[in-house]
Amino acid sequence: MSIDATPENLAAERTSAPMLRVDGLKKSYPTPQGRIPVLRGVDFTLAAGASLALTGESGSGKSTLLHLVGALDDADSGDIVLDGVALTRLSENARAAIRRERISVVFQQFNLIPSLTVGENLSFQARLAGRYDPAWQEELTARLGLATLAARYPEELSGGQQQRVAIGRALAVRPRLLLADEPTGNLDEATGDAVMALALDLVAATGCAFLMATHSERLAARLQRRVRLESGLLAAQ
Amino acid sequence: MRETLWTLAALISHWRRRPGNLATLVLGLAIATALWSGVQALNAQARNSYDAAANAISGGGARTLVAARGGLFDQELFVRLRRAGVEVSPVLEGAIRIGEKNIRIIGVEPLSLPRRSPIADRRTRTDVIEDFFSGPGRGFAAPQTLRRLDLSEGAQPQTERGQLLPPLAALAEAPPGAIIVDIGVAQRLLDRPGKLSRLVILDEETFDEARLKPIAGDALRLVAPDDDSDLARLTDSFHLNLTAFGFLAFLVGLFIVHAAYGLAFEQRLPTLRTLRALGVGPPHLIAAMALEIGALTLIAGGAGVLGGHAIAQALLPDVAKSLESLYGAQISDRLALDARWWLSGLAMAGAGAALAAASGLTKALRLPALSFARPMAWRGAHHRYLGRQATLAALALVAAAGAYGFGQGLASGFAIIGLALLAAALILPVGLAGVLALGERFARRPLARWFFADGRQEISGLSLALMALLIALATNIGVGSMVEGFRQTFDRWLDARLVAEIYFEAATPADARDIEAWARTQPDIAAILPVWRAKTRIGGWPVDVVGMTPHETYTAHFPLIDAPTGVWTALHAQDAVLVSEQLARRLSLAIGETLDISTSGRDWSARIVGVFPDYGNPKGQLRIDHEKLKRYFDDASGVQYSLRVDPAATKRVIENIRQRFGGKIARIIDQAEVKTLSTDIFERTFAVTTALNTLTLIVSGVALFASLLTLSDMRRARIAPVWALGATRRKLAALEMARVMAFAAGAAAFAIPLGLFMTWCLVAIVNVAAFGWRLPFHMFPAQWLVVSCIALGAAFFAALIPVVRLARVSPTELLRVFSNER
C-alpha cells in the first residue's frame, strides 16, 4: 500500500512530532566551473515506523540526500533533526555515535567488511553499538537465509547474498532509521524483489522508519509514501 | 573502549585473510630492528669494555695523573708524591703476547689499591694483598680471558719472551683481555723497571692540585674521569661508521614496513570507509590502529631485538679483532647487554613502525565517512605524487648542498650521503615514470602501449621497494668502490712501506744492542735499520715518534704525499720532522710550519718537511732522524729493527737469529708475514661493513619480494581485462616479469652514479674526517656490472613466485575480478 506524499500529508506529519525532520536542506559540489547545486532546499518529515521512497533520475541528488540524512556528509545549510537531535549541528564524533546507534545504511555496493565472515559482518554494527542480541541475530540469520553461509567470506557470496548480509547487518542494531541507497541496483529483478520483500518484512518487525532511494518506480510503489527529487527540490507524487 | 576493540577486531581480521602480508610487515620491522639493535649491541659491548678497562682499577669517578706527553714516567715521581702525603696509587699498563694472543698487563700496587676498585670491592683487600704477596704471586683475569687463552685457574702461562706469569685466578670484574698483577711483576713482564703509566688519586677531597707542581713539575697532567680515554676518542669514528651503516640498514628495513603497511592500508581502505559509515569515529579508528601498531611493535620488535642479539653475536669476533688490531682495544667476546639495550631496541621498532604507519594514520584521521567513487582519479593522483616526489627530492638536494657548505666533518659527510640517497630515492619513481611515458609514446602495438601505461600505474605501489633497492645498490657500489680503492691503495702503500725483508723486536734494549752488533758482522745482512719508538702528545692527541736512519730503504721507497726536494737531507741534517697525513689534517699542519714537540727533556722545535700516508693507524705519527730520537727521547723503545737482507737468505737469517738469541728475541717476522698480517687486519676492519652491506642488499630484495607478493592480488584486477580481451595468461605473466626486471634495471642505472657520488663522499669527506686520510678516487666498472646483475637477479627471484602464480591463475579466479568489482 502506498500513501502519496501530498502537501497535506507532509504537513500533517510535521504537526505530529515526526521522528525525522528535514528543513531547507541545501547542498552543492565544487567543480572547475563553480559550485553546482544538487539540493536546493529540501523539506520533509518521516514518522517512526513509516517508510518513504525517494525517486528521481540519475544525478538528481537522491544519494546526496540519503548521505546527509545518514550523517555521512555535511550540508551547506538547512536542518536535519532525528528524534529531536539536530544532526547538522553535531560534532564529527557525535555524528559517528548517531550512525552507530540510531541509523543504519544499506549501500548499493553492499560495503561489507571483506576480511570478516558473514556471521561476523552481521553482528558487527550491533556489537560496535553495544546492542548485540544473539536471539535477534539468530532470527535475522534464519529469515535472511544466511544460516549456512555464516562462515563464508563476502567474496564467496553472490550479489543477492551479499545484499542480504548488508540488510541483516543494518537491522541487527535495531536502528531508529534505516536508509537504503539503491539496495537492489546491483541485483537482477527477481533477486531484487525477493531481497526487497525480506527487507520490508524485517523493517516492519523492528518498527524502524525506512527511507529508500531508488530509480525504480516499481520498488518505490511498495513503500508507504514516495517523493520525487527534481532539480534539487522534492515534488510530491 | 568497546568501539575501539571491535574496530581493532575488524582491522586485525584483514591479517587473518592475508597472512603473507602480515608476515612481510613483521619480517620488515623485525629485520630493521635486528640490524639496528645488532649494531648498537656491538657498540654497547665495546663501550662497556672500554669503561670496564678504564674503571677496573680506579673504580670510576677518580681523576688520574698521567705523563704529560703520554707514555711512561719514573716511579720515583710516585715515591716523591707519597712521601709528600699525596694519596695516589700507581698503575703500569702494557701489552704482552701469550702464544698468538695480545694481552694487556695491568700492574697495581695492592697496598694502595683504591677501595672503590671492583677488584678491591669483590675480594677483601687482605685477600688481594695475600694473593699478590704469597709464594709466586697471583694474576687476576676475567673468566673469558682465561677461556680465550685456553687456560684454567692456577695456570702459569709464559710470554712470547719466555717470562713466566704468576698463577692465574678468575676475577669477573677484571677487564676483558687483561691480566692484573702486582706492579713489580708488571714491570718485569713489560721490561719497564721503575716505570709507571698512571697514578690514581685515592681521595678527591684531600687531593690538592697545587701540591703537584713543586714535586712533579710539568711531568704529569691531571685527567678528569669524564674525559674520554684515548681509546674512546680513537675508536669513536669506528663506532660512528658502524652506527651509520646500522642506521642505513634500519632505514632500508623501514622501507619494507612502510611498503607493507601502506599497501595494507590501501587494501583496507574500503573497510575503513565502511567502519566510518557504520559509526566508528576518528578517535576510535586511530586508537585501534595505534593499538595494532603497538602489538606489531611488541611482536616484530621483540623478534628483531632477539635477531639483533644473534647478529651481534655473529659479528662480534670480527669487530673484536678489528678493534684489537687497529686500536689495541680488548672487548669482551660474550655479549652482556642491559635492559636499556633491549628497551631501546623496542623503542626503535616502535618509532620505526609509527613512522612507517604515520601517513596511513594521518589519512585515517582525515578519512571522510563518505567517499565518492573516483574511477579515473589515479591519473591526477599519480601526477600529484610525482610532483611531490620531485619537489621533495629538490629540497633534499638543496639540503645536501647546504650540509656540504656547512662543513666537511663526519656528521655533515653522513648528512650529505643520507640526503643524496634520499633525493635519488625520491626522484627514482619520477625518472621511471618519465621513461615509461616515453615508451608509451613510441609504442605501436596495443599490448606494448598497455605495458608502458600499466607500468606507470604500478610505479606508486612498487616505488618504496624500488627506492630500498636503489639505496642498497648505491650503498653497495659506494662502499664497495671505497673498500676496493682502499685495498689497492693499501697494497701499494704496504709494498712501499715494507721494503725491508725482516722485522724484529728484541726483548730488551740491551738484547737489541747484542743482536745489532752481531748483525753488523753478517755478510747476508746488508743493513740493520733501527725503528725505535717514543710517545708524545701534540694538540691533546697521542702521537708516536719513530726514528729513521738515512738509507735507500726510505729515500727510494718510503711513500710521501707531499714533500719538497731534498726532504731526506733536511730530515737528517736539520731540526725537521715528517708528519703523518692524519696528524697534519687533524691539527691543520702544513709543510714549512714549525712544530713544538714535547720530549723527555726540554721541548724541541722542528720544521715540518713532509707529509706521509699512514693508513690504518689511529694515532698521529712523527718520523724523525734516528739520532735525534735518541737525543730527545731517552725513553725511546730501543728494541724494534728492520733488516735488509738478500731475499733468498731471509729464512736462513731468521733461523740463525732465533737459534743464536732465543729468548732475547721477542718477535721476528719476515716481510711476507707482516703483509699478510696487515692485509688480514684490513679485511677484518671491513668485514663488518661488508656484512652489513650484504644484509642491506638482502633486505632490499625482501622488500621487493614483499611488495610484489602483496601487489599480486591487486595486479589481478588490472590484468583481468587485458586477459579477457585476448592476451594469454602466459604472455601477461611474461610481461609482468619484464616490467619488474625493467624497473630493477632502472634502479641499477640510477644506482651507479649515485654509488660513485657516495664513494666520493666517503673518500673525500667521511674518511678524512673519521680517520684523517684521503684516498684516491677509483672506479670499478666490473663491480657495476656485478651489482647490476645482482639487482636483476634479486628482481627475478622476487618476481618469480607472484609471476608464476599469475601464469597459473585459473580463469575462474580472473572472472571473479569482474564479479567482485566494486
Side-chain angles (χ1 to χ4, degrees), chain B residues 151-379:
Chain B
L151 295 171
S152 51
E153 284 200 83
Q156 270 191 279
Q158 270 197 337
T159 67
E160 205 176 43
R161 297 175 184 181
Q163 289 158 309
L164 203 62
L165 266 78
L168 299 181
L171 179 67
E173 287 77 12
I179 296 175
I180 300 169
V181 294
D182 176 69
I183 201 150
V185 175
Q187 287 173 334
R188 175 176 59 83
L189 292 172
L190 298 168
D191 192 34
R192 291 287 182 265
K195 294 287 182 186
L196 299 176
S197 312
R198 58 192 167 107
L199 299 171
V200 180
I201 291 165
L202 296 179
D203 188 350
E204 283 287 345
E205 286 182 10
T206 57
F207 179 76
D208 180 8
E209 198 175 339
R211 294 171 65 193
L212 267 183
K213 187 93 177 171
I215 306 165
D218 293 328
L220 299 176
R221 68 186 170 91
L222 205 53
V223 179
D226 52 355
D227 273 3
D228 278 346
S229 64
D230 281 346
L231 195 58
R233 290 172 73 181
L234 293 173
T235 53
D236 256 358
S237 304
F238 182 90
H239 293 297
L240 184 65
N241 270 335
L242 215 53
T243 304
F245 280 106
F247 190 63
L248 182 70
F250 178 73
L251 285 184
V252 171
L254 277 196
F255 273 100
I256 304 181
V257 184
H258 198 295
Y261 197 83
L263 286 168
F265 182 83
E266 290 298 323
Q267 286 169 345
R268 291 196 293 188
L269 207 50
T271 297
L272 294 177
R273 285 173 177 154
T274 301
L275 286 171
R276 294 282 286 114
L278 293 179
V280 176
H284 294 133
L285 199 55
I286 297 297
M289 290 173 86
L291 278 174
E292 184 187 55
I293 291 165
L296 278 172
T297 299
L298 282 178
I299 296 167
V305 176
L306 285 175
H309 196 276
I311 288 174
Q313 193 72 62
L315 294 178
L316 189 58
D318 273 332
V319 172
K321 291 272 184 199
S322 289
L323 286 166
E324 185 186 341
S325 28
L326 280 174
Y327 306 102
Q330 300 279 347
I331 70 168
S332 172
D333 59 358
R334 288 218 165 167
L335 278 178
L337 300 160
D338 57 19
R340 267 179 312 176
W341 175 80
W342 295 92
L343 290 176
S344 68
L346 279 178
M348 200 66 180
L355 191 71
S359 70
L361 285 170
T362 316
K363 280 184 199 165
L365 191 64
R366 293 178 185 160
L367 191 71
L370 181 68
S371 64
F372 300 98
R374 295 186 184 94
M376 282 306 287
W378 86 268
R379 197 170 287 275

Side-chain angles (χ1 to χ4, degrees), chain B residues 34 50 128 183 284 422 432 498 553-554 680 737 764 800:
Chain B
Y50 305 155
V128 175
I183 201 150
H284 294 133
L422 180 68
L432 289 178
L498 299 174
T553 300
Y554 303 119
D680 189 42
M737 179 59 92
L800 198 57

